Amino acid sequence: MLAITRIVLAVICIGISTYVLIPGNDSTLPYMLLFPGTLMLVTGAAELKVNRWRAFHLLLLHLYY
């Protein structure tokens, strides 16, 4: 379930960033920042589920800073 969510969020991130890059439309910038943050949160949850505490803490540290 987390793997599918990560793939979907990654595709959304790439799509939004391409949409911003090509026409130069900056109105979707909040979504462009929201989806990578959510992707990092899901990645951290997946690493926690696999019991990789170090990777989980690094992802959380990167998420908050």
Side-chain angles (χ1 to χ4, degrees):
M1 182 70 180
L2 289 175
I4 294 171
T5 307
R6 284 173 42 188
I7 292 170
V8 168
L9 286 171
V11 168
I12 290 172
C13 290
I14 291 170
I16 290 176
S17 62
T18 304
Y19 178 71
V20 168
L21 184 66
I22 292 175
N25 187 3
D26 290 339
S27 65
T28 58
L29 188 62
Y31 299 111
M32 190 175 152
L33 296 174
L34 175 73
F35 284 112
T38 308
L39 177 63
M40 289 174 54
L41 188 67
V42 169
T43 304
E47 294 295 326
L48 185 63
K49 185 177 178 184
V50 177
N51 204 10
R52 293 187 202 159
W53 286 95
R54 183 179 173 109
F56 171 70
H57 288 298
L58 286 175
L59 280 167
L60 279 183
L61 205 117
H62 185 71
L63 183 65
Y64 288 117
Y65 295 107

